[in-house]
Amino acid sequence: MALNRIPGEDIYIGGLFSLKNKAALSRANITHVVSVLRMRPEESLFESFRHLVIEVDDVEDENLLEHFATTNAFIQSALDAGGSVLVHCAMGKSRSAAVCIAYLLHRQPKALTPQTALDIIRKGRPMCEPNSGFMQQLSLYHQMGCPDDVTAHPMYQRWLSHREIEGSVACGRAPEINVVRFEDELSPTEIGSDEPSTEIRCRKCRRILATTPFIVEHEREDPKALKKKPTTGPECAHIFLHPLTWMRPCLFPGSTPGTSADPTGLSEVSAQEGDAPLSGRLTCPNPKCESNIGKFAWQGMQCSCGKWVVPAMGVARAKVDVVEKTASNAARSVNARLGTMGIRLPPHMRAAALAPEEAPGKGNL
């Protein structure tokens, strides 16, 4: 098969040999070509086409995600101009298919998933099968909402940080501090979460350790489970968190506080940075407490539910309290503050402003 059309689209997928089939290219009205491979074909093959080259290998740890915005825009420009586009790699199986899936997702993010987009493509070219790494990147891209700017998205930056961490761990060492995203240093926009509804507190001193945006959820490693079970479920002995600034002395014992010349607030690291441990204890950041509240492992840790979490920053459920902040509690707090300001509240709001034991009974009218 030289080149095959995606059903309903003026987009074709092929391998290297498709570039030499001039008759087929002409019949398909190919005006633009996307080459998704590291090697460079002969330039003469592209003389009559607009040409985009994405130099990546067909390996699972290749970062294809960062190129989706570029390939999407190029493919759209071809279609807007009334032409057709050929997306090719070496065999027309993995890299080219992943790029086409990304385009379909970007155009219909709510109607398609990576798998349903792949199913559409396979109707025209059954051999298409992106490698597992590319499929994971497409899943992340879909979770991000298929944005125009991929590299600025917080989920992409977290994924990139995890890749750096995995690379360090593979070499048997802890990551460098400058590749770790301490999530509570980010702006609310970067965190991308609603008002915290859950607080994790040290059971001994009541110091707040984390809130909703910084809790890592995971599925139970149980094929019989019918739905997702978050880390706050009763079956999990640990609650896993994203790296937070209070963990820094535990993760990087040689680190020192940032200086005024460092507006980002990131720590400077002493010469002992290379000795940062791969795993160790997490202690309460309250200097009057400093109790052992959990453990960390850059290489990952298996939760009591069976799921591996990588990297793992886990506080022990026996050492912390989980405090749920409900909407009614928030409303009561607001109403109480309004009452102290001399603002008369409607009857239905007065009861909410009072604690349950203070609310008037039926006889107090």
Side-chain angles (χ1 to χ4, degrees):
M1 293 183 286
L3 69 159
N4 300 94
R5 184 178 183 179
I6 297 176
E9 307 288 346
D10 290 326
I11 304 172
Y12 293 77
I13 301 179
L16 276 172
F17 288 114
S18 64
L19 295 172
K20 297 184 178 181
N21 192 338
K22 297 298 183 180
L25 294 173
S26 178
R27 285 195 301 270
N29 189 34
I30 299 298
T31 58
H32 293 60
V33 176
V34 181
S35 298
V36 196
L37 73 174
R38 186 75 64 181
M39 60 183 292
R40 287 264 186 170
E42 299 174 17
E43 290 295 330
S44 60
L45 296 173
F46 307 100
E47 289 177 351
S48 57
F49 308 113
R50 292 282 303 277
H51 188 209
L52 172 67
V53 180
I54 303 297
E55 295 188 0
V56 293
D57 292 317
D58 185 19
V59 292
E60 294 181 1
D61 62 351
E62 184 72 81
N63 185 351
L64 186 58
L65 179 56
E66 66 178 340
H67 299 290
F68 287 162
T70 300
T71 56
N72 289 342
F74 186 82
I75 293 172
Q76 190 62 54
S77 69
L79 302 181
D80 290 343
S84 298
V85 57
L86 169 66
V87 183
H88 82 91
C89 51
M91 299 295 293
K93 179 180 178 180
S94 178
R95 288 166 286 186
S96 54
V99 165
C100 291
I101 290 172
Y103 173 77
L104 296 179
L105 289 175
H106 181 262
R107 201 179 60 184
Q108 302 182 72
K110 295 182 179 180
L112 296 175
T113 66
Q115 185 58 52
T116 56
L118 176 57
D119 292 340
I120 292 172
I121 291 172
R122 280 177 172 165
K123 291 178 181 178
R125 191 174 179 87
M127 67 182 292
C128 286
E129 186 180 359
N131 69 51
S132 60
F134 291 162
M135 288 301 291
Q136 291 172 4
Q137 292 176 43
L138 287 164
S139 178
L140 176 60
Y141 181 59
H142 191 238
Q143 292 174 35
M144 293 164 58
C146 307
D148 291 326
D149 189 350
V150 172
T151 57
H153 197 283
M155 291 181 67
Y156 171 81
Q157 294 171 1
R158 180 183 295 162
W159 174 78
L160 203 61
S161 175
H162 284 188
R163 280 168 55 94
E164 295 280 355
I165 291 170
E166 289 172 358
S168 297
V169 171
C171 297
R173 58 184 177 83
E176 296 182 4
I177 196 171
N178 62 346
V179 305
V180 177
R181 280 169 54 92
F182 292 97
E183 302 266 332
D184 52 339
E185 292 181 331
L186 306 177
S187 67
T189 302
E190 291 177 297
I191 294 172
S193 178
D194 298 331
E195 183 177 349
S197 59
T198 302
E199 291 179 348
I200 308 298
R201 293 175 175 266
C202 173
R203 181 164 293 180
K204 182 177 180 181
C205 71
R206 309 299 297 162
R207 203 270 198 192
I208 296 177
L209 302 172
T211 55
T212 307
F214 310 121
I215 300 173
V216 179
E217 294 189 353
H218 63 271
E219 290 186 43
R220 294 178 61 194
E221 195 66 26
D222 181 2
K224 296 181 181 180
L226 299 179
K227 59 181 181 179
K228 287 185 177 182
K229 299 293 184 181
T231 51
T232 52
E235 73 280 4
C236 297
H238 284 81
I239 301 171
F240 293 96
L241 309 175
H242 292 295
L244 301 173
T245 52
W246 63 262
M247 301 176 186
R248 189 178 278 129
C250 301
L251 304 177
F252 300 97
S255 63
T256 57
T259 65
S260 58
D262 179 15
T264 65
L266 296 177
S267 290
E268 297 175 347
V269 183
S270 68
Q272 287 80 28
E273 180 182 339
D275 299 327
L278 271 171
S279 59
R281 297 193 309 168
L282 291 175
T283 58
C284 178
N286 182 352
K288 295 182 179 180
C289 178
E290 295 186 335
S291 60
N292 179 19
I293 55 174
K295 54 187 176 180
F296 71 90
W298 290 112
Q299 67 273 31
M301 184 170 67
Q302 188 174 29
C303 180
S304 59
C305 71
K307 180 70 175 182
W308 274 91
V309 180
V310 183
M313 313 290 154
V315 292
R317 181 173 293 279
K319 300 288 186 178
V320 300
D321 289 321
V322 180
V323 181
E324 300 292 345
K325 298 174 64 179
T326 63
S328 59
N329 288 339
R332 185 180 294 117
S333 175
V334 172
N335 293 338
R337 289 197 300 271
L338 290 174
T340 60
M341 295 168 61
I343 300 175
R344 184 173 178 80
L345 304 176
H348 69 282
M349 295 179 64
R350 295 174 197 165
L354 300 173
E357 63 272 14
E358 299 174 1
K362 291 184 179 179
N364 297 329
L365 298 177

